[in-house]
Amino acid sequence: MRHRLLLLDLDPLAPPLVPRITPLVVLPLPGGRAAVPLNDESAEEVLATLLAGGLAIRSSRVIEA
């Protein structure tokens, strides 16, 4: 079974990634990146939720793993 992930490049000048209360699982990765598993949500919905929560995102892309 393949899983879709939203990979995020975070703004290096922003404060460090702090766990937030959200229905999304944000997995911190090395190098100023993070990943969010996409279950039933679209990438746009996830990005909107993260940006509304104050996460500084420089770029994003969806991959299948």
Side-chain angles (χ1 to χ4, degrees):
M1 178 179 198
R2 299 192 74 100
H3 298 280
R4 292 181 336 126
L5 293 173
L6 179 64
L7 292 181
L8 307 170
D9 290 320
L10 304 177
D11 185 346
L13 301 177
L17 185 62
V18 176
R20 303 172 194 279
I21 297 173
T22 175
L24 301 173
V25 176
V26 179
L27 307 167
L29 299 173
R33 293 186 173 172
V36 180
L38 296 175
N39 298 316
D40 295 330
E41 304 89 359
S42 71
E44 292 81 8
E45 291 171 325
V46 170
L47 280 172
T49 300
L50 294 173
L51 291 170
L55 191 61
I57 301 170
R58 290 182 6 176
S59 65
S60 65
R61 66 182 182 272
V62 176
I63 64 164
E64 289 195 28

